[in-house]
Each structure stands twice: as C-alpha cells, then as structure tokens.
C-alpha cells in the first residue's frame, strides 16, 4: 500500500485522510528553473502556491486552492562532499531513498525519525525528529539549503550565505518559499544496538532522567489503560552486525506491530468497551529483543496502520509530570484509547521555530486510529500540554494560533518579519499559516 497522499477528481488528500483540498492546478516541475517559473506564473494569475510531499502532515499546512507543486521529479543526490562530510539532495527525495543511497556510499545521517516515507523537504519543513540525547531533529542536521521565494528567484542559504534566512528556513513551514535542495551533514556509517524491553509506567517515569542520560537515543511507548510501557534504547556499537532474523522481524514488525495491531484497532472501533482489555494484551505482545544494525534499519520501522496524531514538545524537565497528568486524565475520563502514547527527546537547537528551539525538549505524541473520533482525547491532552508551555509539532493536529506561539517562541517575531520580507504578498499563504503565523 502506498503511503503517498492520494488524489481523485482533482481532490488532494493527506495520508491520515483528515485533510482534503481542491487546487486550481497541479504542477510537477522537472527542474529548479521550472519550479521558479511556476511560482512566477502563479503570481501573474493571482494564485497562491504550496508544495506538497507525501502528505504525512495531519494539519492542512500543505493544502491550497491555488497551485499545488509536486516535487517528485526533483529527486536524487546532487553532490557528496567527502571533505566537508555533506550530501546535497533534491527536495522531493524520499528519506527512504536518501537513507539507502547514503548506506551504499558508506555514509549515514546522525539521527532520524521513526518513519522514512516523507520527502526530505516535507520532513524538515515541519520539524520531523527522532529521539536523541545530543543529536537533534532532521532539520538540525542541515548545513545549507536552496529556496525559491515569492519573487521566483533562487536563494542559497547557509551559516555564511543569507544566515538569517538559514536560521528560519530549515523549519520554514512552507511560509518563506519552496525548498528545492538541502545539504545535510553526514558521517561514516556506523552500527547501533537496539535494546527493546517492557517496563512498568512507574519505573520508566521514576528513572526517566537516568534512562535519558545513559542512552544516546531513548524512547518509550505507554499503553493507555495499563501500567505498561515498551522501552527502546539505541546506542552506538562496535559490532558485529546482528540484524533481527527475517522471519522473527516479520512476525514482530509486520504481523504483531502492524497486522494484529490493525485487527485490534478494528475490534476496538466496533466495540470500544473491549479497548482496555486489548491494551493489556497489546502491551504484553512484544517481548524483549536486542539487535545491531545500520542506523536507518534501527531508527525507522514500518507504520501501516493509518492514524491521526497530536504531538507536543514540552521542556524536558516537565515530561514526567506532564505524562502522569495525561495518564490520570485518561484514567478518570471514560475515554477509550487504543493507540500507545510515544515519548521521545531532543536537545535544544538554534532554529527559529523548531519545537526544540532554545530548550531541551521531550515529545509526547497521542494517536487515534483513522476514522475514530479523536477530538475529546486530543482536547484533554492539549489542555495538559499547553499548561506546560508545550509547542505542537507543525505537521500534527493542534488548535494553537499566532498569539499562543508568540508566547512560547521567543524568536517568533524574527520569523514573521523575515516572512514579511520574503513573501510580502503572501504567495505561500493558506488557512493554516494564517492561523499559526497571523495575517
């Protein structure tokens, strides 16, 4: 099954199925010049412009009734610089293709998220991240980028070239222009040993600081209606490579994590009263395991069950309290939550509107299976997250607006001033950006 967003009868639909749009026209440029020309032509026709990747955002960040630019012909590696240890890649390249191509070259990104279906520009523009004690989001690994702003020119940005644009455009929300190429820092490929094991909610929360400090990459999933979590620690390893055996991997990653989980979601949807029992069984289904492999095979995993998601970054020191409040809210609410809650971390970075901008952060993500009512659960969760000055992921469901962001992002005004300069006529505007950045 394709994870790309689908379109029928001129309607564009995102991966989660919760956002649709009817663009006036779609353009699939085969070069940066063609893309720049499409931006200029849209201006002549008085149309807004948005670029869209695989549609993995749950917000309407890429939706437009104007010109929809699809970058799938802008793919592949432009250049590998082994002296600088960077790779420059076209914006429409899926992360999966980048990871596999880098591995063939004996190279790797330092950190990545838990899926790799998205395009590099879509993932970075919305602040997609994995988990890391010292290594940040995918955007934090950017060393340069190429951008087509509203005037249809082509702008190169790095710490030395247009540094004020570089500071913001690494996570630009599609508001500053269309990213056409990205230069990432890379390193020689390495091995990671993953240690996955169940742990009680009380133990993981009471020892969270130690678990975070002792591991390069720590994350866990809590199963609502239970006191159980599944933890995952990824650390660099001298080897040898010991991947998950193929059959065992299929049983654990495909059959249990996707197949049986999908059936459990169907049952839970049909009979919500069964969800707490299903959650208890699900939390015990995956046993402890340890394996060693190259980074993208450890960091990422297939996600075939479609869902809708909300995720907030809170200050790292507030994560345990926030999570305990969320558990208490679910326990007393009568809500039936069939999807685990994911908890990850990131170090502070210097990107203007990064969810980790200027502060060490922890991420708490809540999910509901596609097609089930999620509003009551997400509203309760959001109330808790915002009480801790949470910053929502730009590509995931939230109800915050520019006024709120002004309070939680010290450099918010810096971003909007740059937008005024690069897109004075709001060529890249849509309803979502009007809400989160102001008119």
């Amino acid at each position: 099954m394709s994870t790309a967003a689908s379109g029928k009868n001129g309607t564009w639909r995102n991966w989660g199925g919760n956002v649709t749009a009817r663009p006036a026209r779609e353009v699939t440029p085969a070069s940066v010049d063609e893309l720049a020309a499409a931006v200029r032509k849209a201006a002549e026709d008085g149309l807004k412009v948005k670029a869209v990747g695989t549609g993995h955002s749950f917000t309407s960040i890429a939706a437009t009734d104007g010109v929809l630019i699809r970058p799938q012909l802008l793919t592949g590696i432009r250049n590998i610089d082994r002296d600088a240890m960077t790779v420059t890649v076209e914006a429409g390249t899926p992360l999966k293709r980048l990871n596999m191509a880098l591995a063939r070259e004996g190279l790797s990104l330092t950190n990545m998220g838990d899926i790799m279906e998205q395009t590099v520009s879509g993932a970075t523009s919305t602040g997609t991240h994995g988990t890391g004690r010292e290594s940040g989001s995918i955007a934090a690994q950017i060393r340069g980028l190429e951008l087509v702003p509203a005037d249809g020119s082509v702008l190169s940005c790095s710490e030395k070239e247009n540094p004020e644009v570089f500071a913001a455009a690494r996570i630009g929300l599609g508001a500053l222009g269309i990213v056409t190429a990205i230069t990432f820092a890379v390193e020689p490929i390495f091995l990671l040993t993953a240690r996955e094991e169940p742990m009680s909610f009380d133990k993981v929360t009471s020892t969270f600081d130690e678990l975070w400090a002792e591991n390069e990459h720590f994350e866990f999933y809590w199963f609502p209606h239970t006191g159980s979590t599944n933890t995952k620690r990824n650390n660099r390893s001298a080897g040898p490579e010991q991947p998950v055996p193929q059959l065992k991997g299929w049983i654990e990653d495909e059959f249990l994590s996707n197949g049986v989980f999908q059936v459990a979601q169907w049952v839970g949807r049909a009979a919500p009263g069964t969800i707490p029992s299903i959650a208890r069984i699900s939390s015990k289904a995956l046993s402890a395991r340890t394996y060693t492999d190259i980074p993208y095979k450890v960091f990422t995993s297939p996600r075939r069950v479609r869902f809708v998601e909300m995720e907030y970054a809170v200050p790292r020191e507030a994560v345990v309290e926030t999570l305990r409040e969320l558990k208490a809210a679910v326990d007393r609410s009568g809500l039936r939550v069939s999807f685990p809650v994911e908890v990850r971390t990131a170090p502070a970075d210097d990107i203007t509107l990064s969810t980790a901008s200027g502060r060490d952060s922890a991420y708490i993500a809540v999910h509901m299976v596609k097609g089930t009512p999620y509003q009551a659960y997400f509203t309760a969760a959001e109330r808790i997250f915002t009480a801790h000055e949470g910053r929502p992921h730009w590509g995931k469901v939230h109800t915050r607006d520019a006024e709120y962001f002004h309070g939680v992002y010290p450099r918010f005004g810096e971003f909007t001033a740059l937008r005024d300069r690069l897109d004075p006529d709001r060529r890249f505007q849509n309803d979502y950006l009007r809400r989160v950045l102001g008119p």
Side-chain angles (χ1 to χ4, degrees):
M1 175 169 42
S2 165
T3 51
S6 60
K8 287 190 181 112
N9 314 322
T11 301
W12 173 82
R13 181 172 274 103
N14 71 337
W15 181 84
N18 65 318
V19 177
T20 55
R22 287 186 71 88
R25 64 172 179 255
E26 289 192 17
V27 181
T28 310
S31 68
V32 176
D33 288 345
E34 281 184 21
L35 190 150
V39 171
R40 291 192 295 269
K41 176 81 170 73
E44 285 168 28
D45 298 343
L47 293 171
K48 305 290 188 194
V49 188
K50 295 308 301 176
V52 65
T54 53
H56 269 76
S57 287
F58 301 100
T59 58
S60 54
I61 191 165
T64 186
D65 56 5
V67 179
L68 192 70
I69 291 183
R70 293 185 171 272
Q72 64 253 41
L73 299 181
L74 298 174
T75 62
I77 290 175
R78 270 192 200 180
N79 177 49
I80 294 174
D81 184 335
R82 289 185 186 268
D83 294 330
M85 286 306 279
T86 60
V87 58
T88 301
V89 60
E90 304 281 351
T93 309
L95 283 166
K96 187 175 195 167
R97 278 186 59 190
L98 172 61
N99 286 332
M100 292 167 84
L102 286 175
R104 285 195 297 271
E105 296 286 342
L107 300 168
S108 176
L109 294 171
T110 298
N111 199 358
M112 52 195 83
D114 58 8
I115 62 166
M116 53 178 182
E117 308 303 327
Q118 318 98 307
T119 60
V120 292
S121 57
T124 54
S125 293
T126 54
T128 297
H129 60 89
T131 190
R133 185 184 58 204
E134 277 116 27
S135 50
S137 68
I138 305 175
Q141 298 167 69
I142 295 177
R143 295 295 172 264
L145 59 84
E146 184 181 81
L147 184 77
V148 174
D151 64 5
S153 62
V154 180
L155 206 60
S156 292
C157 311
S158 66
E159 283 183 352
K160 294 191 175 77
E161 214 176 348
N162 297 302
E164 72 297 343
V165 180
F166 180 68
R170 283 173 285 171
I171 299 180
L173 319 185
L176 305 175
I178 295 175
V179 175
T180 51
I182 298 174
T183 299
F184 291 104
V186 290
E187 58 176 302
I189 201 161
F190 53 93
L191 293 174
L192 284 171
T193 293
R195 180 178 160 198
E196 299 174 6
E197 64 176 348
M199 193 179 287
S200 73
F201 180 89
D202 290 341
K203 184 175 181 194
V204 83
T205 50
S206 63
T207 60
F208 179 80
D209 288 342
E210 293 96 282
L211 288 162
W212 170 81
E214 288 164 8
N215 296 282
E216 290 170 68
H217 309 273
F218 176 69
E219 65 186 296
F220 68 94
Y221 293 87
W222 163 59
F223 295 83
H225 313 295
T226 78
S228 305
T229 78
N230 257 336
T231 63
K232 184 175 182 182
R233 304 164 221 213
N234 298 331
N235 291 288
R236 294 195 184 215
S237 165
E241 220 168 299
Q242 288 182 308
V244 178
Q246 208 167 356
L247 177 63
K248 191 172 192 292
W250 181 84
I251 289 169
E252 291 172 342
D253 296 328
E254 288 295 346
F255 181 66
L256 290 175
S257 295
N258 285 297
V260 173
F261 188 57
Q262 177 72 77
V263 173
Q265 297 301 317
W266 287 334
V267 172
R269 237 176 111 178
T274 63
I275 285 174
S277 306
I278 291 171
R280 284 191 289 277
I281 295 164
S282 297
S283 70
K284 293 179 172 59
L286 294 170
S287 54
R289 64 178 183 173
T290 300
Y291 53 97
T292 301
D293 215 328
I294 60 174
Y296 82 83
K297 294 184 178 180
V298 174
F299 284 130
T300 69
S301 48
R303 292 270 188 276
R304 307 205 198 287
V305 179
R306 299 216 175 195
F307 53 82
V308 179
E309 180 179 1
M310 168 184 280
E311 180 185 72
Y312 267 74
V314 296
R316 202 188 67 237
E317 62 274 12
V319 66
V320 169
E321 187 187 345
T322 308
L323 200 57
R324 284 175 177 152
E325 287 172 18
L326 181 64
K327 185 175 189 297
V330 170
D331 288 347
R332 66 171 180 260
S333 67
L335 290 166
R336 293 287 175 258
V337 181
S338 59
F339 231 98
V341 172
E342 186 179 23
V343 181
R344 295 175 290 173
T345 68
D349 64 40
D350 63 350
I351 304 170
T352 318
L353 290 189
S354 163
T355 44
S357 184
R359 75 182 190 194
D360 291 342
S361 300
Y363 297 91
I364 302 176
V366 297
H367 312 68
M368 283 294 243
V369 72
K370 179 184 171 183
T372 50
Y374 59 84
Q375 284 83 356
Y377 176 38
F378 284 14
T379 300
E382 191 171 40
R383 198 172 292 134
I384 293 163
F385 299 151
T386 54
H388 291 279
E389 296 193 342
R391 298 167 175 170
H393 188 301
W394 296 108
K396 297 177 185 177
V397 175
H398 67 89
T399 65
R400 302 297 89 189
D401 60 14
E403 187 183 355
Y404 179 84
F405 292 123
H406 218 290
V408 294
Y409 283 102
R411 297 166 65 192
F412 188 77
E414 195 181 306
F415 189 96
T416 54
L418 181 65
R419 180 189 186 213
D420 288 342
R421 197 183 98 206
L422 292 179
D423 187 14
D425 301 324
R426 300 292 186 261
R427 187 65 46 218
F428 304 111
Q429 175 85 289
N430 63 7
D431 289 343
Y432 178 76
L433 292 182
R434 191 177 291 110
R435 169 162 71 90
V436 301
L437 296 177

